[in-house]
Amino acid sequence: MTLQQLQYVVALDTHRHFVKAAESCFLAQPTLTLQVKKLEDEVHLTIFNRSVKPLEPTIQGAKFIVRARQILREVEGLKEMVNQDRQFVEGNFKLGVIPTLAPYLLPLFLKLFQEKLPKVTLEVLELQSDMILEQLRIGQLDIGLLVTPTDIPQLREIKLFQEPFWVFAVEEHPLLSQKSIDAVQLPKEGLWLLQQGHCFRDQILNVCQTKAQETTQPVQFKTGSIETLKRMIQNYKGYTLVPELAIDKNDQPWVRPFENPQPARQIGMVVHGSFTKEVLLKELRDSIIHSIPNHFTKSHEYFTVKWR
């Protein structure tokens, strides 16, 4: 068994296609196929079920792949440890960002980050929280930007900022008659939510101290877009909660802040416990902190809303 063979197995699991996996490893497809078969023969285990398309790991093969990814991460960490130039960072890294954060935060910091680390390429994927956490755990993502805490032992969390929630309501809604809103006063009627699977949906329900089945809405509209919810409310009825970064100057007639302590979501950077690129994490964190509104990082009164 060689590290190269483990890399081929991981590539095949990632792409679920022999040709694509071979291309990602810069070798011919027959070579990759042969090496994977040699490894399977050596360990007396069928790692992949080739009878289905796309191919998929067998039950035991999936366990083998998780361990292979862990071994490759540890080898990469060993290389990093003996690297004399710890300030030099280059290469490709995969960054997962939740959909309710990506369109608002990414444009703020990416330019600054690229200026700091011009030889780093970020492949950004917009994914829901549970998918980010799973891909971090098995090594398919390098870094996640999402709501924390995650309470997963294998993962390391780096706090970034608290993002306050605001109320967004149709123009004639009674909530807009107030300068600031007490969360206890939020009505169950007319509450719009993102579709299931979004952590922000669960946070809204927690702030409103209600359950999804208790909310009343004549139109059942399933969306993963905060912008779509905003437009629906502006032109129809009801209200929702939005994170502050999702508010632009044109939204001012429809939004109101909460009274202190404000409900907020804690945004953090999450990596696997074995991730060793400290310079990359520092520059990414510094770029984000520098780019967000100043009051996010100051001492304000908040209560962090759980999402799990």
Side-chain angles (χ1 to χ4, degrees):
M1 183 187 307
T2 67
L3 289 176
Q4 244 182 0
Q5 287 174 326
L6 295 182
Q7 289 171 343
Y8 297 158
V9 166
V10 167
L12 193 53
D13 178 56
T14 299
H15 296 281
R16 303 295 173 93
H17 190 279
F18 278 98
V19 174
K20 291 180 180 178
E23 289 174 349
S24 72
C25 296
F26 303 102
L27 76 161
Q29 179 263 318
T31 303
L32 181 138
T33 302
L34 178 62
Q35 289 299 319
V36 171
K37 185 64 171 65
K38 279 186 176 181
L39 178 58
E40 288 180 320
D41 291 342
E42 180 181 347
V43 298
H44 305 291
L45 173 67
T46 300
I47 300 174
F48 292 99
N49 180 1
R50 296 160 173 80
S51 64
V52 296
K53 290 186 179 181
L55 60 79
E56 60 184 27
T58 61
I59 295 175
Q60 291 300 315
K63 296 179 181 179
F64 182 92
I65 292 167
V66 168
R67 181 61 177 149
R69 289 184 182 275
Q70 182 180 348
I71 291 170
L72 292 174
R73 281 197 301 266
E74 291 172 353
V75 170
E76 184 62 28
L78 186 61
K79 291 178 182 177
E80 178 70 13
M81 185 184 71
V82 300
N83 184 1
Q84 297 301 312
D85 187 5
R86 296 299 298 272
Q87 301 301 311
F88 181 73
V89 182
E90 67 175 359
N92 301 325
F93 298 91
K94 289 187 176 182
L95 172 68
V97 190
I98 55 175
T100 58
L101 184 65
Y104 312 111
L105 182 62
L106 290 173
L108 298 181
F109 76 85
L110 280 180
K111 181 179 179 182
L112 177 60
F113 176 76
Q114 286 184 320
E115 290 172 352
K116 289 184 174 184
L117 295 177
K119 293 191 176 182
V120 167
T121 300
L122 283 182
E123 180 182 343
V124 181
L125 297 91
E126 195 173 288
L127 302 167
Q128 292 184 12
S129 296
D130 288 335
M131 182 63 72
I132 290 176
L133 296 175
E134 175 61 15
Q135 292 196 13
L136 285 171
R137 189 183 67 81
I138 65 177
Q140 291 185 339
L141 276 180
D142 298 298
I143 306 170
L145 290 177
L146 66 158
V147 176
T148 56
T150 65
D151 300 321
I152 298 179
Q154 305 101 309
L155 302 182
R156 170 189 171 195
E157 299 177 9
I158 301 165
K159 294 180 182 179
L160 295 175
F161 59 89
Q162 295 271 3
E163 183 181 15
F165 295 161
W166 287 56
V167 171
F168 189 103
V170 68
E171 193 168 1
E172 66 273 12
H173 201 287
L175 288 172
L176 297 186
S177 65
Q178 307 173 58
K179 290 184 178 180
S180 60
I181 297 169
D182 185 341
V184 177
Q185 299 175 338
L186 293 173
K188 294 183 176 68
E189 297 77 18
L191 174 60
W192 290 82
L193 297 168
L194 296 177
Q195 64 188 19
Q196 289 186 351
H198 290 270
C199 62
F200 191 64
R201 170 192 172 93
D202 297 328
Q203 288 181 303
I204 292 176
L205 292 172
N206 287 336
V207 172
C208 298
Q209 299 181 5
T210 187
K211 299 178 181 179
Q213 57 266 32
E214 294 175 348
T215 64
T216 58
Q217 194 59 259
V219 177
Q220 300 299 315
F221 187 71
K222 296 183 178 180
T223 180
S225 167
I226 290 176
E227 294 305 310
T228 302
L229 282 188
K230 287 161 60 177
R231 300 293 85 81
M232 289 290 291
I233 290 168
Q234 283 176 328
N235 295 283
Y236 184 46
K237 64 190 303 184
Y239 81 100
T240 190
L241 307 189
V242 296
E244 186 169 324
L245 286 178
I247 300 172
D248 61 39
K249 60 182 180 181
N250 297 322
D251 291 333
Q252 294 308 314
W254 295 278
V255 295
R256 293 292 184 275
F258 281 94
E259 295 178 356
N260 288 329
Q262 295 173 280
R265 61 177 184 175
Q266 179 177 284
I267 301 299
M269 188 162 55
V270 182
V271 296
H272 194 275
S274 62
F275 192 82
T276 58
K277 303 289 185 180
E278 293 300 320
V279 174
L280 175 66
L281 296 180
K282 178 183 182 303
E283 295 299 346
L284 183 58
R285 181 187 184 278
D286 289 351
S287 297
I288 293 172
I289 295 300
H290 178 81
S291 303
I292 59 175
N294 288 333
H295 69 273
F296 278 19
T297 56
K298 293 180 181 178
S299 179
H300 280 257
E301 292 184 81
Y302 295 108
F303 67 88
T304 301
V305 180
K306 293 183 178 181
W307 66 276
R308 309 189 88 193

